Structures are given as structure tokens and as C-alpha cells.
Amino acid sequence: MNDSRADLNRAAPGRRRQGGPPLVLLALICMGLLFGGLVIGVAIGAMMPLPYGPAGAVTAYVHAQPLAVHVIAVAMFGSSVPLAIYAATASARLRQLGVTAPGATIALTGGTLAAGALGLAGLVAWTLSIPEVGADPTLVRAFYYLVFLLGGPAHIVALGLLVAGMAVPSLILGLTPRPVAWVGLATGVFSELTTLVLIWPQLGVMLPIARVAALLWLVVAGALLPLQRNDIRRSR
């Protein structure tokens, strides 16, 4: 009995740890669903108006383009799933690589919040595609603002936590090349600054910049983040 347990203990260190699904693939699926849905929606019903623009433009768009709203909503909701899996996988990977600081937990928390906000934005947008809802200007105005807040500042600020939670340990422990880690840290900080959009809506241009930068960084980091500490030593 003791011999068998000893054999298992000797075999355990040599057993290769599971890395989970490929991070780069998850990030690419998330981007493909999100931006693909936006492109198709714009192709069907033109560019969506800004929520803080004329109320009539928002109501007219939702009432006239329910299919475009429906496509964008489904794409947003669908893209939240691989993002949540990415956050869970990245957090586990960081812990396997020896990250004991809060970075792994921050990445998991930020990714979970980002995926939740994006998924909820998709569900609210889906509600807007229902003709009965689209015919009520008051509901349209309220739900449209909610979609903007959830899919914009709430999602992007949380996404910045995911990026920063991965970038800081990568910088300290050398898990990725230092330029990549520094870019990730800067992207995370910039994403947090999109909170200012709630004060000055004119800064809304920050939102798409931060979203694209953060998602692209997740693709690059997912491709470069090693599976084991031994991989870092070999690369050095």
C-alpha cells in the first residue's frame, strides 16, 4: 500500500499539467463573433446611432432595423462565452506558472465581469429587437442606454482588469516578452480610464479604441503565455 502511494508521488511531478483550451483560439472566437456580428448588423441596417444623440434617431433605428439589432445582440451574447472561458483558463494558467499574487484572481474577476456585462448587454439588445418593445419610445430609449452602458464602459473597464491582471505578473515573472507586458499594462490603464465617458460622453471615442486594443492584446498574450515554468527557462 505504501509502495503504491510512493510510486504515485514519484510519478506526479513528471506528469504534464493540463493547459486547458488554447487561449489564442478563445480570444479569436470572441473577436470573430463580436466584430463579425457588428459588421453584419451594420451591413443590414447601417451604423447604430449614439445613445446620447437625438432621441428620434435611436427610436427610428430600432423600429426600422429589428433584424440588425437582433444579429448584433446574438453576436454580443455569443462572444461573452469564449471570453468567460478565456478568463478562467488564463487565471488557472497563471497559477500553474507560479503566480501567487492577486494578479490571477484579478484576471479571473475582471474577465468574469467583462463577459457578464457583454452577455447582459446582448440580452437587453435582443429585447429591443422585439417589435412590441421597439414601438415604445420610452422603452427604446431606456434599453438603448442600458445596452450602451453594459457593452461599453462596464464591459471595457472589466476587460481592462483582465488585461492588467495578466500583464502585471507577466512583467514581474517574465512570462511574456517585456514589451508585450508593458503594452498590456498600458492597455489595462487606458481601459480603466474609459470610466470618464460616464462624466464626459464626448470621450466615447475611447471605448472602441480600448476594446480593440484589449482584445488584440489578449490574442497576443494567449499565444505567448507558456504552459509551464520549464517553457520559460527553455526560452531563455
Side-chain angles (χ1 to χ4, degrees):
M1 185 74 173
N2 292 334
D3 292 341
S4 299
R5 186 176 301 171
D7 292 340
L8 288 174
N9 291 335
R10 285 194 297 268
R15 189 178 302 164
R16 186 174 181 85
R17 295 181 179 180
Q18 297 180 356
L23 291 176
V24 63
L25 180 60
L26 292 171
L28 287 174
I29 293 174
C30 177
M31 288 184 64
L33 287 172
L34 181 59
F35 295 133
L38 288 174
V39 169
I40 295 174
V42 170
I44 294 174
M47 187 67 68
M48 300 178 68
L50 294 174
Y52 38 82
V58 172
T59 304
Y61 179 87
V62 173
H63 181 70
Q65 304 295 340
L67 179 58
V69 175
H70 186 85
V71 169
I72 294 173
V74 173
M76 291 172 64
F77 181 78
S79 65
S80 69
V81 177
L83 181 58
I85 300 174
Y86 185 105
T89 305
S91 177
R93 181 84 60 84
L94 290 173
R95 295 188 184 280
Q96 289 180 1
L97 292 171
V99 177
T100 57
T105 304
I106 292 173
L108 177 60
T109 302
T112 302
L113 290 174
L118 188 62
L120 188 55
L123 293 178
V124 176
W126 185 90
T127 306
L128 278 174
S129 67
I130 300 175
E132 292 80 2
V133 176
D136 188 328
T138 304
L139 284 179
V140 168
R141 189 70 169 170
F143 283 178
Y144 204 81
Y145 263 114
L146 189 57
V147 171
F148 170 75
L149 292 173
L150 289 170
H155 166 67
I156 294 171
V157 168
L159 193 63
L161 290 178
L162 169 60
V163 172
M166 295 176 63
V168 173
S170 298
L171 183 62
I172 296 174
L173 300 179
L175 304 180
T176 61
R178 292 183 67 83
V180 174
W182 278 115
V183 170
L185 182 57
T187 301
V189 172
F190 184 77
S191 298
E192 302 310 303
L193 290 177
T194 59
T195 305
L196 296 174
V197 175
L198 299 177
I199 304 173
W200 296 292
Q202 295 79 6
L203 296 177
V205 68
M206 295 174 63
L207 295 174
I209 296 174
R211 190 196 308 276
V212 172
L215 291 176
L216 286 176
W217 190 88
L218 292 178
V219 172
V220 175
L224 296 177
L225 196 66
L227 292 174
Q228 301 183 79
R229 292 290 297 178
N230 291 336
D231 296 335
I232 305 174
R233 298 189 187 100
R234 282 194 293 267
S235 65
R236 291 176 178 173

